[in-house]
Amino acid sequence: MQRKATALDVAKRAGVSRSAVSLVLNGRGDGNVAKESQDRIRQAAADLKYSPNAIALSLRNQRTRVIGIVSDEVVVSPFDGNIIGGADDVARAHGFVTVVMDTERDASRDESAVETLLDRQVDGLMYVTVGLKPLDVPQGMLRVPSVLANCFDNSPTPQLRHVIPDEVSGGREATEHLLQLGHRDIAFLAGAATSPAVPLRIVGHREAMAKAAILVREDRVFMAGWDINDGFHGAMGLLSATERPTAIVCANDRLAVGVALAAARLGLAVPRDLSIMGYDDEFRIAATMVPALTTMALPLREMGAAAMSMLLKQIEDRAQRPTTGRIGHLETMVPCRLVVRESTGPVPAL
């Protein structure tokens, strides 16, 4: 039977000390070991199929190298699982594993989920939500390094760092794309008033219109809901009028599908007669819609990765989380990305 490679074997192959191998493979190489040496150590470890003894590491470092993730329904939802995927990528790259518990939108289960993970001696905690929302932070999260993804601390004096999408710039860039195509009469079908993301996206839309010196008609901006049916009925009202908009920005891709169905019902071609802009870049909807939907992609994996990187740094530094309650010190915003496809085009010729 072939002998299992040791840290000393890795050190000899890489031409470094055993302590350097320990530093790099424990995620503490930066600032302690030269970049070239780090690369040689990782390559040597890969060549030798070396893996540290997790139990020995835990005992030595007094860490389990396990991160607990609580979600409201991300695990069972088709929408925001990429947040956890991005977080897990970063965790695994640094020698951590993740354990996920889903409360299925039952807030009464938040505390018990957190306590269950704490009982497993996790090194840190992350809370992830489907859709941007305020969170009543479970008190157990204040006992270990913790971070929030796609949600924010709803207490009067927030204590936890959070990573969220930059919804204002997303709404602004969506409208700017249509303005650059020559559109001036642009409607905005928003989602539900209960979502914190909706007013932020509307702010971005208004900023883009103001920058272009275009007055926003109040009958062109209204709450519609989130589903295909909502988009259909909202668009039927807009497009049946004598003076109809040449473009519609939708607060999510499902609304955009409804708008496309309304356009088809009225004999309007997309994008020749009407340009449609979505939001989310939802899997199996935006790219497969006919015509394929131009949309703003939510940075889900990027948010997960940024939140996990932030959490691992807290664990590594053993730093106290900020207690000032100043949002600017707690908030990290990740930009959304414009994805141009076939549903937007030049303003129709008169």
Side-chain angles (χ1 to χ4, degrees):
M1 183 179 293
Q2 187 175 3
R3 181 176 65 88
K4 188 176 185 294
T6 67
L8 185 58
D9 296 327
V10 175
K12 289 178 178 178
R13 188 180 185 94
V16 299
S17 67
R18 189 186 182 288
S19 61
V21 172
S22 179
L23 285 168
V24 171
L25 298 184
N26 287 335
R28 300 198 304 273
D30 291 345
N32 294 310
V33 181
K35 177 67 167 59
E36 290 182 359
S37 297
Q38 291 190 47
D39 293 341
R40 290 203 310 274
I41 290 168
R42 293 191 182 96
Q43 186 60 53
D47 293 344
L48 295 171
K49 296 182 173 56
Y50 170 75
S51 59
N53 185 302
I55 295 175
L57 278 175
S58 296
L59 292 172
R60 189 159 57 244
N61 299 332
Q62 294 187 320
R63 295 180 188 169
T64 60
R65 302 191 79 79
V66 176
I67 302 297
I69 299 178
V70 180
S71 80
D72 60 351
E73 64 168 344
V74 174
V75 175
V76 298
S77 164
F79 298 107
D80 290 1
N82 274 326
I83 299 179
I84 292 177
D88 188 62
D89 285 346
V90 172
R92 286 189 292 109
H94 288 80
F96 286 76
V97 296
T98 57
V99 177
V100 184
M101 296 192 67
D102 201 292
T103 65
E104 299 184 42
R105 288 203 173 185
D106 184 351
S108 67
R109 296 168 60 184
D110 283 357
E111 290 287 358
S112 63
V114 167
E115 291 300 326
T116 298
L117 292 169
L118 290 173
D119 286 344
R120 268 62 178 178
Q121 302 296 309
V122 294
D123 291 331
L125 289 166
M126 178 186 298
Y127 200 109
V128 181
T129 59
V130 172
L132 179 64
K133 62 187 66 173
L135 179 71
D136 293 327
V137 174
Q139 289 302 297
M141 294 189 74
L142 304 180
R143 289 162 32 202
V144 296
S146 297
V147 69
L148 310 176
N150 213 26
C151 52
F152 52 92
D153 189 337
N154 194 39
S155 64
T157 55
Q159 299 182 57
L160 296 185
R161 293 180 173 92
H162 59 265
V163 179
I164 60 174
D166 189 344
E167 301 284 15
V168 173
S169 69
R172 182 170 57 242
E173 192 169 351
T175 299
E176 285 175 344
H177 170 68
L178 296 169
L179 290 168
Q180 289 166 3
L181 291 170
H183 295 276
R184 294 297 178 266
D185 191 351
I186 303 172
F188 195 106
L189 283 187
T194 54
S195 168
V198 168
L200 297 175
R201 294 175 187 179
I202 292 174
V203 166
H205 169 71
R206 291 183 182 278
E207 286 182 358
M209 297 289 276
K211 185 177 179 181
I214 299 172
L215 183 66
V216 177
R217 289 175 45 175
E218 294 309 312
D219 63 340
R220 293 291 197 245
V221 179
F222 59 90
M223 302 295 174
W226 291 118
D227 293 328
I228 292 173
N229 193 53
D230 299 320
F232 177 82
H233 289 293
M236 286 297 290
L238 286 168
L239 300 176
S240 299
T242 303
E243 187 180 5
R244 64 173 184 257
T246 63
I248 299 177
V249 180
C250 301
N252 74 352
D253 294 338
R254 290 171 180 253
L255 281 173
V257 172
V259 173
L261 292 173
R265 171 72 63 87
L266 297 172
L268 301 174
V270 178
R272 186 191 65 199
D273 302 316
L274 175 72
S275 284
I276 303 174
M277 180 85 200
Y279 209 108
D280 288 352
D281 197 25
E282 186 176 334
F283 181 56
R284 292 180 179 168
I285 289 185
T288 55
M289 181 177 140
V290 179
L293 184 63
T294 297
T295 186
M296 294 302 301
L298 281 172
L300 301 177
R301 291 196 82 88
E302 294 88 342
M303 286 194 297
M308 182 59 71
S309 296
M310 187 181 297
L311 179 56
L312 295 183
K313 188 175 189 309
Q314 287 185 49
I315 294 169
E316 188 62 37
D317 294 345
R318 296 179 180 268
Q320 295 295 316
R321 65 181 59 82
T323 57
T324 62
R326 292 174 58 192
I327 294 298
H329 291 280
L330 302 175
E331 184 169 270
T332 297
M333 290 196 294
V334 182
C336 302
R337 177 173 52 89
L338 174 65
V339 181
V340 179
R341 296 194 179 100
E342 300 165 10
S343 68
T344 53
V347 65
L350 296 177

